[in-house]
Amino acid sequence: MLLAVILALPLHAMWRLFGRKSPWPPRFLGLVARIVGARVRVVGKPLRHHVVFVSNHLSWIDILLLSGATGTAFVAKSELRTAPLVGWLCTLNHTIFVSRADRMAVTDQIAQVRDTLAQDWPVTLFPEGTTGDGVTLLPFKAALLAALDPPPPGVKVQPVRIDYGAATHELAWVGDELGQHHAARVLRRKGTFVPTLHFAEPFDPAEYGDRKAIAAEARRRMEAL
């Protein structure tokens, strides 16, 4: 992983120096996914532009898988910004940091999502708000889907279902396990695993009205997968 950082950072800096959109953060994250053993299988066709992905959430590995496959930015809890190295790497991938405790800041958070979409970055939301067991979808928290009410011109919603297959029970991050313990457990695991990213057909959020209706349609399509 350290070697991957050393190789990717100068390339990223070169792209930014010439004012170009850098492909290296998602490529780096995709490489890290392979380093931890993932051999990703993609089912369906992910959109590349003007899209909000709505996905279930099993662990931090999801970030590596989705970014490597789509180049997406993410919405993450604000505490991650101060995490050593990880927080800095998140900023390189246009992460939108939100505070779950500050409900008064939701309007600003929605504006950040809309600004990111306006820059033609795909954005991924994890509406469960936490990681699950990979078997059952948790209740959705639809607050940030208000960024699609009304949706920016041309933006679609594409639901995603992540499945770790036979490794689900080993790799899903559930309960009160500390992040560093889960990371160490993943890195100690021998061999590879085949996670599948199931991309549903995208839909136009303008046809469904408010954020709750958009969330319900995304959930319905995820369950159908």
Side-chain angles (χ1 to χ4, degrees):
M1 287 186 188
L2 180 58
L3 180 59
V5 171
I6 292 171
L7 291 173
L9 278 178
L11 293 169
H12 172 71
M14 188 181 302
W15 254 252
R16 297 304 300 145
L17 180 64
F18 290 99
R20 297 177 59 187
K21 187 176 181 178
S22 173
W24 294 103
R27 288 179 182 178
F28 164 76
L29 293 173
L31 177 58
V32 174
R34 288 193 64 85
I35 291 171
V36 302
R39 301 296 181 264
V40 185
R41 185 170 73 102
V42 175
V43 177
K45 186 177 181 180
L47 296 179
R48 296 290 179 176
H49 304 279
H50 307 299
V51 59
V52 172
F53 297 112
V54 178
S55 175
N56 64 318
H57 197 16
L58 284 76
S59 86
W60 52 271
I61 304 170
D62 302 343
I63 307 294
L64 311 178
L65 303 176
L66 284 168
S67 183
T70 69
T72 182
F74 296 89
V75 175
K77 59 183 181 180
S78 57
E79 294 87 341
L80 197 59
R81 187 196 292 268
T82 58
L85 184 60
V86 174
W88 177 63
L89 290 172
C90 285
T91 62
L92 298 184
N93 200 53
H94 296 269
T95 300
I96 303 164
F97 295 100
V98 300
S99 174
R100 295 175 183 171
D102 188 0
R103 295 185 179 275
M104 300 300 292
V106 171
T107 300
D108 289 339
Q109 294 163 8
I110 290 169
Q112 289 180 61
V113 173
R114 292 181 68 88
D115 287 346
T116 303
L117 290 170
Q119 297 172 45
D120 196 19
W121 282 97
V123 174
T124 295
L125 301 179
F126 296 117
E128 293 170 291
T130 187
T131 52
D133 60 10
V135 178
T136 305
L137 282 176
L138 300 173
F140 279 13
K141 299 174 176 63
L144 289 180
L145 284 171
L148 302 176
D149 182 16
V155 169
K156 298 287 178 42
V157 173
Q158 187 165 29
V160 188
R161 186 72 184 253
I162 302 175
D163 178 12
Y164 288 0
T168 296
H169 294 297
E170 290 182 82
L171 299 177
W173 183 12
V174 294
D176 297 325
E177 183 180 16
L178 294 176
Q180 58 265 40
H181 291 171
H182 182 267
R185 183 160 58 80
V186 170
L187 294 174
R188 282 196 304 266
R189 184 182 183 276
K190 295 181 180 180
T192 60
F193 64 101
V194 183
T196 303
L197 304 180
H198 298 269
F199 289 89
E201 283 297 312
F203 64 91
D204 185 349
E207 296 178 2
Y208 292 87
D210 64 19
R211 59 187 175 84
K212 292 185 178 180
I214 295 168
E217 178 60 17
R219 186 185 183 95
R220 185 189 70 78
R221 296 189 184 212
M222 290 167 68
E223 289 173 337
L225 294 172

